[in-house]
């Protein structure tokens, strides 16, 4: 039986205990971040689900009402559903649930941030490229042992720097160890993001 709740996904087994949970951006799919995941960690297992929401045919992880304006009930529900998928995929593929590191881009970074805020037990660390505040949780999560790296674009037309800073404050005030880097770029991922995030993952995350 497939992991339930079901998501279309790719799973690439690795040779270490770590699993990278790869979360694509709007219009992406489960194959998009596999090469990046391999580049980040040649030994990790890779778990890469496809978002179930379709916006004009483009997969996403939760609904939005407009660019940067989220359907908060849907964000909460989809966050729980994705977290439940990770738990059941961990049992199915014999993944160590204590060593799951999210790597998300844009909409994928936002659902990863939402998992950190609502289901922090699912992730030990996270790399968030072009993330913003997905929602404000009703109770403060305990993010004491979590390490988080955020790559932001100084000229991002979708995400104001103040919004990313707000996310950083929210995560830090919940106890997370957050590293934030601003790049001279827009919403796109740059080679600078990839190089610094990989170095951070190698040096800073068990
Ligand atoms: C989102 O909807 O999660 C953000 O606006 C980023 C995007 O996917 O465009």
């Amino acid at each position: 039986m497939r992991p339930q709740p079901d998501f279309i996904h790719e799973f690439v087994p690795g040779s270490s205990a770590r699993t990278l949970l790869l979360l694509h951006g709007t219009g992406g799919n489960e194959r998009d971040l596999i090469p990046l995941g391999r580049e980040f960690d040649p030994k990790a297992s890779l778990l890469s689900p496809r978002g179930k929401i379709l916006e004009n045919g483009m997969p996403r992880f939760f609904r939005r009402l407009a660019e940067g304006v989220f359907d908060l009930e849907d964000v909460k529900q989809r966050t729980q559903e994705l977290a439940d998928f990770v738990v059941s995929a961990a049992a199915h593929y014999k993944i160590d649930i204590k060593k799951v590191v999210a790597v998300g881009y844009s909409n994928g970074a936002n659902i990863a941030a939402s998992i950190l805020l609502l289901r922090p037990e699912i992730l030990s660390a996270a790399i968030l490229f072009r993330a913003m505040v997905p929602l404000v949780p009703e109770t403060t999560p305990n993010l004491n042992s979590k390490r988080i790296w955020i790559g932001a674009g100084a000229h991002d037309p979708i995400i104001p720097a103040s919004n990313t800073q707000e996310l950083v404050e929210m995560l830090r005030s919940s106890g997370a160890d957050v590293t934030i880097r601003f790049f001279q770029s827009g919403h796109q991922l740059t080679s600078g993001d990839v190089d610094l995030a990989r170095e951070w993952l190698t040096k800073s995350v068990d």
Side-chain angles (χ1 to χ4, degrees), residues 25-26 60 62 64 67-68 70 106-107 110 132 158-159 187:
T26 300
R60 289 175 51 81
F62 56 80
R64 63 180 166 183
E67 204 166 81
F70 303 147
S106 189
N107 181 242
N110 294 342
M132 58 194 293
I158 297 175
I159 305 177
H187 198 65

Side-chain angles (χ1 to χ4, degrees), residues 55-72:
E55 184 186 275
N56 301 321
M58 296 186 295
R60 289 175 51 81
F61 287 98
F62 56 80
R63 276 182 226 291
R64 63 180 166 183
L65 308 174
E67 204 166 81
V69 184
F70 303 147
D71 175 338
L72 295 178

Side-chain angles (χ1 to χ4, degrees), residues 9-191:
H9 68 278
E10 293 260 320
F11 178 72
V12 185
S15 58
S16 76
R18 180 187 286 164
T19 296
L20 300 183
L21 174 66
L22 305 174
L23 300 165
H24 63 78
T26 300
N29 65 38
E30 67 283 7
R31 294 183 299 275
D32 279 10
L33 298 183
I34 298 282
L36 184 69
R38 258 297 151 259
E39 189 180 335
F40 273 177
D41 185 341
K43 292 186 178 162
S45 297
L46 307 176
L47 178 64
S48 186
R50 183 193 297 186
K52 287 186 180 183
I53 296 300
L54 282 181
E55 184 186 275
N56 301 321
M58 296 186 295
R60 289 175 51 81
F61 287 98
F62 56 80
R63 276 182 226 291
R64 63 180 166 183
L65 308 174
E67 204 166 81
V69 184
F70 303 147
D71 175 338
L72 295 178
E73 281 313 307
D74 196 61
V75 177
K76 286 182 207 162
Q77 187 196 322
R78 299 289 167 183
T79 300
Q80 297 295 345
E81 187 184 29
L82 184 59
D84 290 345
F85 164 75
V86 175
V87 172
S88 90
H92 183 83
Y93 293 118
K94 312 217 174 343
I95 290 168
D96 184 348
I97 191 82
K98 295 202 170 55
K99 287 192 170 286
V100 178
V101 178
V103 178
Y105 167 66
S106 189
N107 181 242
N110 294 342
I111 192 98
S114 188
I115 292 178
L116 284 164
L117 296 170
L118 298 180
R119 294 283 295 274
E121 74 281 5
I122 299 298
L123 300 174
S124 67
I127 294 174
L128 309 178
F129 297 114
R130 310 298 181 267
M132 58 194 293
V133 174
L135 81 176
V136 178
E138 280 163 27
T139 54
T140 305
N142 178 356
L143 298 179
N144 272 339
S145 56
K146 315 289 180 197
R147 303 190 72 112
I148 300 162
W149 187 95
I150 298 180
H155 313 293
D156 192 326
I158 297 175
I159 305 177
S162 57
N163 192 304
T164 306
Q165 287 292 1
E166 211 182 302
L167 175 63
V168 170
E169 293 319 314
M170 197 182 269
L171 296 168
R172 281 188 181 145
S173 64
S174 306
D177 176 343
V178 185
T179 301
I180 171 138
R181 293 281 175 267
F182 274 92
F183 295 88
Q184 290 306 317
S185 71
H187 198 65
Q188 307 81 355
L189 200 55
T190 67
S191 56

